[in-house]
Amino acid sequence: MISVNALPSGIELAGYQVSLRPVEKADLNLLRNWRNQDEIRQHMVSQELISEEQQSAWYQKTTRDLTQRHFVIRYRNQSIGSANIRSLAPGCALTEASIIEPGLYIGDAKYRNNIVAFSPTLLLNDYCFYHLNCTKLVAKVMPENTAAINYNVKLGYKIINQDKLVEIELNKIDYEKSSRTLKSLLSRSPKT
C-alpha cells in the first residue's frame, strides 16, 4: 500500500521502501550532476550537457506546470535518483490525464542494478493507476537501452512500435499481473 501526503511544495509518495518527494531548489545541483553523467545521459533523447541556467529555467517552468510532476527518489533517507510523470494530452492537467508518461533514472550507481530500482517505478505506477485513475502508461526508450526495455517488460509493458525509439505501453491489468511478485518482495520490512 502506498501513502500520498500533501506538502506545501506538492505531494510526497511513499511505499515499497522508498519515497518520492517533490523536487526542491536545493536539489537542482544534485539532479544536474546525475543527469550529466555519461551513463545516464546516453540513454536520454536529449543527450546535451545541462547547464546551471538550463536547470534553473527547467525548475521554474515545471514548478508551475500542472501537466507534470517531478520527484527526488529517496531510499534510507538518501537521495538516489529522479522520477517524473507527465500528461500526454496537450494542456491536460495530470490529475485529468488518461494517458501518462512516467520516467526515472537512478543517479546513485550502487542502486542501478538492484531490486530497489523497481521501487520508485512501482510507486509511480500505483499512483498513476490507483490515485490518478489513468488508463495507460506510455514511454519511449532508446533502442540500445536494452536494460530499460527488459526492466519495463518485466513490469508488464508491451512493445508497440520500434523505430528511432522503442514505444512501450502498460495497462492496469497487465501491470497488476506482472508486478505482484515484486510488490510482495518490496513490501517486506527492509533488513537493517
Side-chain angles (χ1 to χ4, degrees):
M1 189 71 183
I2 71 168
S3 68
V4 180
N5 301 312
L7 301 173
S9 58
I11 59 156
E12 180 178 54
L13 309 175
Y16 309 111
Q17 302 181 33
V18 298
S19 65
L20 304 177
R21 70 157 172 75
V23 171
E24 299 170 353
K25 200 169 193 171
D27 300 315
L28 294 183
N29 280 335
L30 178 62
L31 293 175
R32 187 172 63 83
N33 288 336
W34 283 338
R35 172 61 176 76
N36 283 340
Q37 291 176 17
D38 289 341
E39 54 273 8
I40 291 176
R41 197 167 37 88
Q42 71 183 341
H43 299 297
M44 300 291 182
V45 174
S46 171
Q47 297 182 359
E48 70 180 90
L49 290 170
I50 307 297
S51 70
E52 283 185 50
E53 294 78 20
Q54 288 171 308
Q55 188 77 2
S56 182
W58 166 84
Y59 178 73
Q60 294 303 317
K61 177 186 178 287
T62 60
T63 55
R64 296 185 307 267
D65 188 345
L66 299 178
T67 67
Q68 57 187 308
R69 289 193 179 133
H70 294 266
F71 304 95
V72 172
I73 303 166
R74 307 267 302 156
Y75 176 66
R76 295 187 175 175
N77 297 315
Q78 177 186 350
S79 297
I80 66 165
S82 173
N84 67 81
I85 49 177
R86 71 181 183 106
S87 168
L88 286 183
C92 179
L94 194 56
T95 54
E96 304 298 320
S98 62
I99 301 173
I100 294 174
E101 180 180 30
L104 72 86
Y105 60 84
I106 303 297
D108 188 327
K110 70 182 170 191
Y111 296 109
R112 286 192 193 134
N113 296 311
N114 184 304
I115 192 167
V116 171
F118 282 99
S119 296
T121 301
L122 294 172
L123 196 51
L124 276 181
N125 291 358
D126 281 6
Y127 178 68
C128 290
F129 284 128
Y130 305 119
H131 291 270
L132 297 177
N133 297 310
C134 79
T135 58
K136 184 171 30 174
L137 299 176
V138 298
K140 293 179 181 175
V141 181
M142 302 288 279
E144 57 276 0
N145 192 353
T146 55
I149 294 167
N150 293 335
Y151 168 94
N152 285 300
V153 166
K154 287 177 186 170
L155 290 167
Y157 275 90
K158 305 281 191 255
I159 296 172
I160 57 168
N161 190 20
Q162 295 187 61
D163 196 13
K164 290 181 182 176
L165 296 172
V166 177
E167 294 178 48
I168 57 176
E169 69 179 29
L170 178 65
N171 64 47
K172 188 175 177 181
I173 293 169
D174 289 339
Y175 171 62
E176 287 173 344
K177 285 183 209 171
S178 299
S179 64
R180 199 170 289 130
T181 301
L182 272 173
K183 284 183 174 188
S184 176
L185 283 170
L186 291 166
S187 293
R188 297 179 186 158
S189 296
K191 295 177 182 174
T192 54

